[in-house]
Amino acid sequence: MSAAAATPLTGDIERAQRRTVRVLATGQVLGGVAFGATVSLGALLAADLSGQDGLSGFATASVTLGAALAAIPLARLAARRGRRLALTLGNALALIGIAIVVTSAVVRSFPLLLAGVVLIGMGNAGNLQSRFAATDLATDRRRARDLSVVVWATTVGGVAGPLLVGPGESLGRILGMPELTGSYLFSFGAQAAALALYLVALRPDPLLWAQRLERSGGAGATRIDAVDRPRVARYAIFAVAGSHVVMASVMAMTPVHLAHMSPDGAVTATVGITIAVHVFGMYGLSPLFGWLADRVGRLPVVLLGQAILAASLVCAALFTHSQVGVTVALLLLGLGWSAATVAGAALLTESTPTDRRPRRQGLSDTVMTLSAAVGSVLAGVALATIGYDGLAWCALVLVALVTVLARWGRPSRD
């Protein structure tokens, strides 16, 4: 009787998990379009409104600072009220931020730009947590793959977003918008669509269901159980944060570096294409890295990511004055980030019981984004003082640290 009763419930969970992954993946497509313009144009807008290239890193720093400020509050909200409310609130904050960014260009206010970008970053904190939502009802044998599918979905929007920079600027000129702000029209529409999707379609809420299953101990509860391994979880947080700092710091300075390489001013298309290639690297092969993490283990894939990041930084340092070399470096930078963050997020999730997951996941996103905010500011200073190649060599030190400390990521340590 109990076995027969367990089967339908298990089937319900499987169907709910598949639906959750589809909804989250669609939301990530829209979120990628919305975030693409901010990544491509934020540094350029900051340099334009401030009049100083050295302050260009403050745009990416503000995105990451906003995400850091919102990560834990959104995670706590998710723990109490579910993923759906947390994700929709994040989208609403991003919509307000986009409106403020456009306004800042109209009134030529650098501080107002940073305030708007902070709010966009808060919205991005919600997008980041969607990958964890994909693991709430996932089994151990598919956790990394389900997570990676949601990460992969960002490829479509993330590649399309930067490529829409040119058409967006043309549309903006037709409408009389300030220079560099036209693409935010696409961002606003995509962000609004993502908000509506989560609000309507993310039902049942995966985290609330997982919490009920764990409390009841009923059928399906074993699929979400996890042994608490705090030392492994701490390493996972460090590995994800370190990889993200490397990626964000170098990526944030690339548009400014490319602008210096294009004295004729024809930089918009070059930046859009380079960032699109980078974003493809970040998300395009994430299902492969998820499959590898499920097959060979989380830690080996984290280390694979460090090897790819190291190759990227060496390429950026050696071919710093070549547009092709910089583009290849940005592609590798995205691939290394993808491997490390997909495997690292899975390692963190399975090292933490369900009742503690939102808190640790929020802490991971806070550490990751706050560290990247500091790194982006320092990257702007580094670009102005020791150049793009010097920035790459400095970032290599952090890759080495993540690699050396990998012994703490073995489950046997706890």
Side-chain angles (χ1 to χ4, degrees), residues 59-404:
T60 300
S62 297
V63 171
T64 51
L65 176 61
L69 291 173
I72 290 178
L74 287 177
R76 288 178 175 172
L77 179 62
R80 295 193 307 269
R81 303 288 298 277
R83 300 285 189 188
R84 184 166 61 91
L85 184 59
L87 292 177
T88 54
L89 177 59
N91 278 283
L93 292 171
L95 284 172
I96 297 171
I98 291 170
I100 292 176
V101 165
V102 175
T103 302
S104 73
V106 174
V107 301
R108 304 290 300 172
S109 171
F110 179 62
L112 189 61
L113 168 70
L114 297 185
V117 175
V118 166
L119 286 172
I120 292 174
M122 289 182 174
N124 192 46
N127 284 338
L128 287 172
Q129 291 185 14
S130 68
R131 73 196 192 280
F132 290 125
T135 68
D136 289 331
L137 292 172
T139 60
D140 288 344
R141 64 183 180 83
R142 285 199 56 88
R143 180 167 291 116
R145 274 172 285 183
D146 286 349
L147 183 151
S148 68
V149 167
V150 174
V151 172
W152 173 86
T154 312
T155 307
V156 180
V159 172
L163 293 178
L164 289 172
V165 167
E169 292 309 300
S170 298
L171 178 60
R173 282 191 292 271
I174 292 172
L175 298 176
M177 297 179 66
E179 187 178 2
L180 298 176
T181 63
S183 296
Y184 286 98
L185 291 172
F186 296 129
S187 296
F188 192 90
Q191 201 75 60
L195 186 152
L197 174 71
Y198 291 139
L199 189 62
V200 173
L202 194 59
R203 300 171 184 271
D205 190 284
L207 180 57
L208 295 181
W209 197 354
Q211 290 171 341
R212 286 196 299 269
L213 285 171
E214 187 176 54
R215 286 194 300 266
S216 67
T222 55
R223 67 189 285 128
I224 58 170
D225 284 344
V227 177
D228 191 15
R229 299 187 178 96
R231 189 172 298 178
V232 175
R234 286 194 292 271
Y235 172 76
I237 291 172
F238 174 71
V240 169
S243 302
H244 190 69
V245 169
V246 170
M247 184 278 295
S249 299
V250 176
M251 179 272 294
M253 293 301 102
T254 298
V256 179
H257 176 63
L258 290 174
H260 291 162
M261 293 170 57
S262 304
D264 58 354
V267 66
T268 303
T270 300
V271 170
I273 291 171
T274 303
I275 296 299
V277 169
H278 169 66
V279 172
F280 173 80
M282 290 175 67
Y283 305 117
L285 297 185
S286 57
L288 172 62
F289 295 128
W291 176 81
L292 281 174
D294 284 335
R295 293 280 294 182
V296 305
R298 318 311 189 199
L299 188 58
V301 178
V302 170
L303 293 177
L304 172 63
Q306 302 314 300
I308 299 173
L309 286 173
S312 164
L313 296 172
V314 171
C315 182
L318 296 181
F319 302 101
T320 188
H321 298 298
S322 165
Q323 182 181 327
V324 174
V326 171
T327 302
V328 171
L330 266 286
L331 173 62
L332 292 173
L333 190 71
L335 290 171
W337 176 90
S338 181
T341 54
V342 166
L347 181 64
L348 172 62
T349 298
E350 69 186 15
S351 301
T352 308
T354 303
D355 61 339
R356 298 183 184 179
R357 282 180 186 172
R359 181 188 301 177
R360 282 189 186 167
Q361 290 164 348
L363 175 62
S364 176
D365 283 347
T366 297
V367 172
M368 176 182 75
T369 51
L370 189 58
S371 299
V374 175
S376 296
V377 172
L378 295 177
V381 176
L383 183 68
T385 55
I386 59 177
Y388 193 70
D389 53 343
L391 171 62
W393 291 125
C394 289
L396 195 59
V397 175
L398 191 50
V399 172
L401 281 175
V402 175
T403 303
V404 168

